Amino acid sequence: MVHKCTSLLRSLHFLGRNSSSDCAYIGRPVVRFLGCSLYSTANQVGCHSHDEKIGKVKLAQDLTGLVQESLNLEEKNSQVSKKLMPMVEKSTDARVSEDKKHGVLLAQNLANLVEESYNLDKTKPMNRVEHKRLLELRIKKRVKEQCINGKFQNLIKKVIANPKTLRDAFDCIRLSSNVDLSLDGENFPFEALAEELSCGYFDVSANTYSISTRGPKKEVLVFPNVKLKVVEEAIRIVLEVVYRPHFSKISHGCRSGRSHLSALKYIRKEIINPKWWFTLPVCKKLNNQILAKLFSIMEDKIDDPLLYAIICSMFDCGVLNLEFGGFPKGHGLPQEGALSPILMNIYLDLFDHEMYRLSMRYEAIDKGSSAEESVVNSVLRSWFRRQISGNGSQECHDLGYSEIRVHCCRFMDEILIAISGPKDVAVAIKSETENYFKNSLDLDFENKIDVFPCDGSSGIRFLGSVVKRSLKESPAVKAVHKLKEKVKLFASQKEHSWDSGTARIGKKWLAHGLKKVKESEIKHLSDGSSLLSQISCFRKDGMETDHWYKVLLKVWMQNKNVKCETNEDVILSKHIVEPALPQDLRGSYYEFQKRVQEYISSETASTLALLPNSNSSSLVTQIIAPISIIKKRLFRYGLTNSEGYPRPCNPLVFWDDNEIVDWYAGLICRWLRWYTECDNFNEVKLIICNQVRLSCIRTLAMKYRIHETEIEKKFDFELRRIPATEDLELEITSEATNSEAVDNDALMYGITYSGICLFSLARMASQSRPCNCFVVGCSAAAPRVYTLHVMERQRFPGWKTGFSSCIHPSLHRRRLGLCKHHLKDLLLGNISLQSINFGAWKGNNLP
């Protein structure tokens, strides 16, 4: 390839270097027409798909014909030169033949270069994000053809009821399920389904199935089958083509480049100096009134009664699953319908435009209640306010306006509003938004809305994290705090050494006491003057030595009243060893600890007071991962005990070794994906290295009944997927390089941020009881059947902990078959529970 390019450049240089008068036209046609030809052939390449060869072959043919035509023109010019200048005939013929030879070589090199570049592009495989984007672009072209006078018409009959559209939608579902499209997959009736849709007799209710909870209180969840899933996916893509370009900038979720991370980045970087903020806890299930208002909004851009009839049938059957609040969106939960994200964005787009109107009114028109002299007001806003008030003089500016800013960030139905200005303005905006939701959108709120100050210590909860404002410390203040942390660490290390040393001495004392009790049984070794001999008379006849010793310890503990202590090490250290130590040694240790506490409490504050400009630190917005909530989830899922120490996860013991490691590695991948940008990510790293990794090792140790050190040696290669402290930075870097799917939330919505689930092995598949994979589009055999455990039902909004927060209770203890490929994808977060067909258990006749 490099040789071809070098030869091509040399040929171009040779054709362009001859500038003599008798051969002035040689080489110039290539230079003159090359740019035009490249422009025309490049347009032809863009008209074809990524994997078609037509455009590239056309480019090679045009380049070859271009050079060939230029050579013919050169021959005509050379013949004219021969008639006019016969004296140079021989030299001209020799030069023309040499130029013709180089021109033919140039044409061949250009053709081979384009052909080799096509083969190079063909050998590079597309990932599923690129492939899914290509499929949606095909449907987008069909949708654009139905736009007449600014409205889209007959989308069901002309676009959705097209077998090609249904096949592309089915391929999108298979890509979301990470199924290879080269496989035949299921024999899906695209032609018959297209005919049913176009004729209008497609029965929605016949293509659904329901799952309910066990017990007297029934909670029913309705799912679509594969045919209805394909129709929903086609409608989703069509609606996104129509509405996605018109969504506002404040909305995030189910949009390209506007995911969960982009919302948090906007809050951190774009919201400057907020004073007050609040969230809107929307809570309302879809009803007829909301659906009618949604259709009235959609009729402004779409004129298709058949489309509205199908969506209305989905609502009547309960398969639409559109709910404001209730459960967190975008977590890959199975109860979130395929059409819910786009329909929710369409409906709440009215609120986005209302926020623009409120922002314009409060920022550009309304007067502030009090002036803030420290804030530099915008000159443009001040002029605009004076024009609105009807007084263009400087007197209006002298009255003073507070610098009011209104910021809003919305991720699906989670909404955060921040205000820079006085509290009465924040309260007024809260009141207006609350009235707009209740009166115009017919939506309710789960609880009372409160306005919180941004400089509060607790912060505000949004998108599974805590958003708070804190001081940005100067380098000098950071150095003082770093010294304080070092002193605290040194003191804690000394305290740990002291406690462990005294506990070890106490255990030796216990062993020595038991030895003396046993020696007292031998009459000639016992010392009659010792305390042990004096109390031995109280020993009952026939009492064993160990029992006698326990009775003595029990009497001693009752005398000392040590039942309130936490464990036996504290009893041995504080009540046995320390009283026996020299007074100077004990006093020097406690004096050291006292001095450390005094330094931490008073000396650090004194040092900060001596620093210049120590109080000039500014407030910055921080995103905090919920560490305490993460620890509670680790305990709930059985990874730690009540005291926070790692323990083996019992449901995973019967899994294969790689599956156990994949389960823990999937949790780590989710944390690296979500919390890398958090300001307290160092605490998350400690949990990864100290608790999750050790829990995995202890699970494998329980499975094989060998020591943990032997497990680390035996599974050294597998455990590398769970990084240690020194490998974590490299893992973060590699995760950041593969962030294309993370940023494209429109194509990977519900997959990227899906939480990990807890499964237990139900049974093995056999010839008498076979089972296929439950993932949509996969027909592979499932070697095992697993039981899904719903560990928690967290209400809206949900914390981001790496675990599934709100799986519907009807799926608790439901059995599903998974092939090895899709089990690994589900554990590592490549697919979500939305890709599983929970109705397949009826066809497999599972118990």
Side-chain angles (χ1 to χ4, degrees):
M1 188 72 179
V2 177
H3 175 71
K4 296 288 184 182
C5 295
T6 307
S7 177
L8 173 64
L9 292 175
R10 289 178 179 175
S11 301
L12 288 174
H13 177 69
F14 177 82
L15 290 176
R17 69 184 181 182
N18 195 341
S19 58
S20 59
S21 60
D22 56 341
C23 301
Y25 294 99
I26 297 177
R28 288 194 178 183
V30 177
V31 178
R32 185 169 56 191
F33 296 107
L34 186 58
C36 180
S37 177
L38 286 176
Y39 177 78
S40 61
T41 52
N43 289 337
Q44 293 182 4
V45 173
C47 295
H48 297 85
S49 62
H50 187 276
D51 55 347
E52 293 181 353
K53 191 177 178 181
I54 301 174
K56 296 295 180 69
V57 173
K58 180 65 178 175
L59 175 61
Q61 293 175 354
D62 289 346
L63 289 173
T64 306
L66 173 65
V67 177
Q68 207 57 40
E69 291 176 2
S70 66
L71 292 176
N72 295 334
L73 183 60
E74 290 166 8
E75 290 181 357
K76 292 180 181 180
N77 293 334
S78 63
Q79 292 177 2
V80 174
S81 301
K82 288 179 183 178
K83 294 179 181 181
L84 296 177
M85 294 179 292
M87 300 298 297
V88 294
E89 183 178 0
K90 293 183 179 180
S91 61
T92 304
D93 291 339
R95 183 168 297 174
V96 169
S97 61
E98 185 178 359
D99 291 345
K100 183 177 180 180
K101 187 183 298 182
H102 282 279
V104 173
L105 182 61
L106 172 62
Q108 293 176 353
N109 289 335
L110 287 172
N112 293 333
L113 179 64
V114 176
E115 187 68 23
E116 290 179 6
S117 65
Y118 166 74
N119 294 330
L120 184 62
D121 293 339
K122 188 176 180 180
T123 57
K124 181 181 177 181
M126 291 188 296
N127 57 29
R128 58 175 179 161
V129 176
E130 296 173 344
H131 209 151
K132 197 171 182 180
R133 185 183 293 114
L134 177 62
L135 294 174
E136 292 193 1
L137 285 176
R138 293 178 183 174
I139 301 177
K140 180 179 180 180
K141 184 178 180 181
R142 304 184 191 115
V143 174
K144 293 293 185 181
E145 293 174 355
Q146 303 303 316
C147 184
I148 302 174
N149 298 326
K151 295 188 72 173
F152 295 86
Q153 301 178 359
N154 296 325
L155 292 178
I156 289 290
K157 292 185 177 181
K158 299 296 184 179
V159 180
I160 299 175
N162 187 343
K164 295 181 179 179
T165 302
L166 296 176
R167 184 178 296 275
D168 291 340
F170 182 63
D171 288 341
C172 287
I173 295 175
R174 297 172 69 190
L175 287 172
S176 299
S177 304
N178 203 13
V179 177
D180 190 3
L181 297 185
S182 61
L183 302 177
D184 293 336
E186 301 178 3
N187 188 14
F188 197 87
F190 295 106
E191 300 290 341
L193 180 59
E195 184 179 355
E196 292 180 11
L197 289 171
S198 60
C199 296
Y201 57 82
F202 176 74
D203 190 1
V204 175
S205 60
N207 293 278
T208 62
Y209 63 93
S210 60
I211 298 177
S212 61
T213 57
R214 299 178 177 91
K217 187 178 180 181
K218 297 290 185 180
E219 293 187 38
V220 181
L221 184 61
V222 183
F223 287 102
N225 64 1
V226 180
K227 289 179 64 176
L228 189 55
K229 273 181 176 288
V230 174
V231 176
E232 283 185 338
E233 182 69 13
I235 295 176
R236 180 194 66 82
I237 297 173
V238 168
L239 292 180
E240 288 186 355
V241 170
V242 175
Y243 285 98
R244 192 186 297 169
H246 304 284
F247 288 147
S248 63
K249 295 182 179 180
I250 67 175
S251 67
H252 301 260
C254 197
R255 297 180 59 190
S256 299
R258 305 188 69 80
S259 61
H260 167 266
L261 292 178
S262 66
L264 293 179
K265 288 179 181 178
Y266 170 79
I267 294 172
R268 173 187 286 173
K269 298 180 180 180
E270 301 297 330
I271 300 181
I272 302 173
N273 296 327
K275 300 298 182 183
W276 309 92
W277 52 24
F278 59 92
T279 57
L280 299 175
V282 186
C283 180
K284 190 68 173 290
K285 287 188 177 182
L286 183 65
N287 54 23
N288 292 319
Q289 190 174 2
I290 297 178
L291 187 64
K293 189 172 183 62
L294 176 63
F295 287 164
S296 65
I297 298 171
M298 296 173 61
E299 287 173 354
D300 294 338
K301 296 185 180 298
I302 299 177
D303 184 11
D304 191 352
L306 191 57
L307 173 63
Y308 301 134
I310 292 179
I311 296 177
C312 188
S313 299
M314 294 179 184
F315 168 71
D316 294 335
C317 296
V319 75
L320 202 57
N321 292 331
L322 176 58
E323 180 179 357
F324 295 91
F327 59 90
K329 308 304 185 295
H331 288 209
L333 298 175
Q335 64 263 33
E336 185 175 6
L339 292 177
S340 297
I342 182 63
L343 294 180
M344 186 175 293
N345 276 333
I346 293 173
Y347 192 73
L348 292 181
D349 188 62
L350 293 176
F351 166 74
D352 298 340
H353 289 85
E354 176 66 16
M355 281 305 303
Y356 279 124
R357 187 187 67 82
L358 287 177
S359 175
M360 175 62 71
R361 183 159 65 85
Y362 278 95
E363 292 184 8
I365 302 175
D366 282 359
K367 290 185 179 183
S369 59
S370 61
E372 297 181 5
E373 299 179 357
S374 59
V375 179
V376 180
N377 292 329
S378 171
V379 177
L380 180 59
R381 276 192 178 84
S382 300
W383 176 85
F384 186 69
R385 287 167 178 164
R386 292 196 301 271
Q387 300 301 319
I388 292 296
S389 62
N391 186 4
S393 63
Q394 190 65 24
E395 297 178 358
C396 185
H397 177 72
D398 295 337
L399 294 176
Y401 289 91
S402 62
E403 189 68 14
I404 299 175
R405 295 287 186 274
V406 181
H407 304 276
C408 181
C409 181
R410 181 178 67 83
F411 182 88
M412 304 306 294
D413 51 359
E414 293 191 50
I415 304 171
L416 172 68
I417 298 177
I419 299 98
S420 297
K423 185 177 181 179
D424 55 349
V425 174
V427 172
I429 293 175
K430 184 210 69 159
S431 178
E432 290 195 37
T433 54
E434 189 174 1
N435 292 332
Y436 183 80
F437 267 93
K438 292 182 179 180
N439 300 329
S440 299
L441 299 180
D442 299 317
L443 297 178
D444 300 328
F445 297 102
E446 188 173 3
N447 46 42
K448 183 181 178 181
I449 303 174
D450 296 323
V451 178
F452 299 97
C454 295
D455 55 355
S457 58
S458 59
I460 194 169
R461 177 179 171 182
F462 184 67
L463 288 182
S465 303
V466 177
V467 183
K468 60 186 303 185
R469 300 274 293 173
S470 59
L471 289 174
K472 182 180 180 181
E473 299 174 343
S474 62
V477 175
K478 285 184 179 180
V480 174
H481 289 171
K482 188 175 181 179
L483 177 61
K484 182 183 69 174
E485 295 297 329
K486 286 185 176 181
V487 172
K488 289 175 63 177
L489 179 61
F490 181 75
S492 63
Q493 290 175 349
K494 293 302 179 182
E495 183 180 4
H496 177 72
S497 300
W498 175 271
D499 293 339
S500 60
T502 52
R504 187 168 58 251
I505 295 173
K507 292 176 182 179
K508 289 183 178 180
W509 174 84
L510 280 177
H512 180 72
L514 180 59
K515 178 181 177 182
K516 287 298 183 181
V517 169
K518 290 184 176 182
E519 289 178 354
S520 66
E521 296 180 355
I522 305 175
K523 301 297 183 181
H524 65 277
L525 292 179
S526 62
D527 186 5
S529 62
S530 63
L531 180 62
L532 189 60
S533 298
Q534 294 176 7
I535 64 174
S536 61
C537 61
F538 298 100
R539 181 175 179 177
K540 296 180 180 180
D541 295 336
M543 183 179 287
E544 296 293 337
T545 304
D546 295 345
H547 189 197
W548 168 242
Y549 190 57
K550 291 179 181 178
V551 171
L552 293 178
L553 290 178
K554 185 178 180 180
V555 172
W556 175 80
M557 291 178 65
Q558 290 176 354
N559 186 30
K560 293 292 186 179
N561 193 17
V562 296
K563 289 185 177 181
C564 58
E565 301 294 346
T566 56
N567 51 43
E568 62 275 8
D569 290 345
V570 177
I571 297 174
L572 296 174
S573 176
K574 302 298 181 183
H575 298 277
I576 294 177
V577 179
E578 287 191 7
L581 292 176
Q583 180 64 29
D584 295 340
L585 178 60
R586 191 169 65 250
S588 61
Y589 167 73
Y590 284 107
E591 182 66 21
F592 168 75
Q593 294 293 339
K594 180 181 178 182
R595 295 296 183 184
V596 168
Q597 295 300 325
E598 290 178 355
Y599 171 79
I600 293 173
S601 60
S602 61
E603 190 69 21
T604 305
S606 301
T607 307
L608 288 174
L610 295 176
L611 292 175
N613 299 326
S614 60
N615 297 324
S616 61
S617 301
S618 59
L619 288 172
V620 294
T621 304
Q622 291 184 336
I623 309 297
I624 307 298
I627 299 297
S628 61
I629 305 298
I630 291 175
K631 292 181 179 179
K632 290 181 181 179
R633 298 299 179 270
L634 292 176
F635 171 67
R636 177 171 293 175
Y637 279 78
L639 275 67
T640 59
N641 56 18
S642 59
E643 297 179 357
Y645 294 103
R647 54 159 295 180
C649 187
N650 296 328
L652 305 180
V653 173
F654 297 101
W655 288 22
D656 289 344
D657 302 334
N658 287 326
E659 293 173 355
I660 294 174
V661 178
D662 285 338
W663 193 89
Y664 285 95
L667 182 60
I668 302 302
C669 290
R670 288 168 172 84
W671 284 351
L672 295 179
R673 190 180 299 158
W674 298 341
Y675 300 134
T676 305
E677 300 295 332
C678 290
D679 296 275
N680 62 336
F681 186 68
N682 290 330
E683 300 181 41
V684 180
K685 289 194 294 184
L686 290 177
I687 298 177
I688 292 174
C689 303
N690 297 340
Q691 294 183 342
V692 177
R693 193 172 190 274
L694 191 53
S695 176
C696 179
I697 294 173
R698 291 182 176 175
T699 303
L700 293 171
M702 172 182 283
K703 178 181 179 180
Y704 288 96
R705 298 180 181 274
I706 58 179
H707 198 267
E708 298 173 9
T709 55
E710 298 297 328
I711 288 292
E712 291 190 78
K713 294 178 182 178
K714 182 177 180 180
F715 296 96
D716 178 65
F717 179 76
E718 289 82 0
L719 290 174
R720 291 178 186 175
R721 284 177 279 172
I722 304 177
T725 307
E726 58 273 6
D727 303 329
L728 199 56
E729 297 298 332
L730 182 61
E731 189 78 14
I732 295 172
T733 305
S734 62
E735 184 74 18
T737 57
N738 300 324
S739 60
E740 180 181 1
V742 177
D743 294 335
N744 202 326
D745 199 51
L747 301 178
M748 305 301 292
Y749 175 83
I751 299 176
T752 307
Y753 303 107
S754 62
I756 198 168
C757 310
L758 186 61
F759 299 97
S760 62
L761 181 62
R763 66 172 177 87
M764 302 292 295
S766 60
Q767 294 182 355
S768 61
R769 302 172 69 189
C771 179
N772 291 332
C773 184
F774 281 27
V775 174
V776 179
C778 180
S779 58
R784 296 181 182 90
V785 177
Y786 300 91
T787 301
L788 174 64
H789 297 278
V790 178
M791 302 299 295
E792 58 179 322
R793 193 179 180 190
Q794 184 178 329
R795 297 298 297 172
F796 175 84
W799 289 107
K800 285 281 188 179
T801 60
F803 301 97
S804 292
S805 59
C806 189
I807 302 176
H808 197 271
S810 62
L811 301 177
H812 181 53
R813 302 190 66 84
R814 293 287 174 179
R815 294 186 177 184
L816 62 153
L818 293 171
C819 62
K820 291 186 176 180
H821 171 66
H822 285 110
L823 176 62
K824 183 175 182 179
D825 287 338
L826 187 60
L827 298 180
L828 295 179
N830 297 327
I831 63 175
S832 67
L833 290 176
Q834 292 176 346
S835 300
I836 295 178
N837 182 16
F838 288 96
W841 66 274
K842 297 179 181 179
N844 286 301
N845 295 321
L846 292 178

